[in-house]
């Protein structure tokens, strides 16, 4: 998760702490701790894509 947050911070040009708050407020973060989804096994690229997907659903 740390790498996904670092990637988000770099991409959005925001501090790590702000990126962390954004990520932990998303449905991607909730899914990460749902052990049935096994998202915790995925890499940082997948987590960032999931974060983007969740945010696109909020604005759609």
């Amino acid at each position: 998760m740390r790498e996904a947050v670092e990637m988000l911070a770099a991409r959005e040009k925001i501090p790590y702490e702000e990126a962390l708050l954004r990520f932990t407020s998303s449905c991607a973060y909730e899914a990460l701790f749902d052990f049935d989804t096994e998202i915790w096994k995925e890499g940082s690229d997948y987590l960032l894509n999931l974060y983007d997907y969740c945010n696109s659903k909020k604005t759609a």
Side-chain angles (χ1 to χ4, degrees):
M1 182 182 95
R2 183 180 337 144
E3 287 181 21
V5 173
E6 288 172 353
M7 292 166 57
L8 177 62
R11 183 183 76 189
E12 301 294 322
K13 296 182 173 86
I14 58 175
Y16 177 87
E17 292 78 14
E18 184 177 341
L20 181 62
L21 287 173
R22 288 185 188 183
F23 188 83
T24 57
S25 298
S26 72
C27 65
Y29 182 76
E30 290 177 29
L32 184 60
F33 291 97
D34 180 351
F35 289 103
D36 293 333
T37 64
E38 296 188 353
I39 290 174
W40 53 272
K41 293 181 179 180
E42 301 295 338
S44 54
D45 287 335
Y46 183 90
L47 289 177
L48 190 54
N49 285 334
L50 180 60
Y51 169 83
D52 290 338
Y53 176 77
C54 289
N55 284 342
S56 71
K57 289 299 207 181
K58 284 183 184 178
T59 59

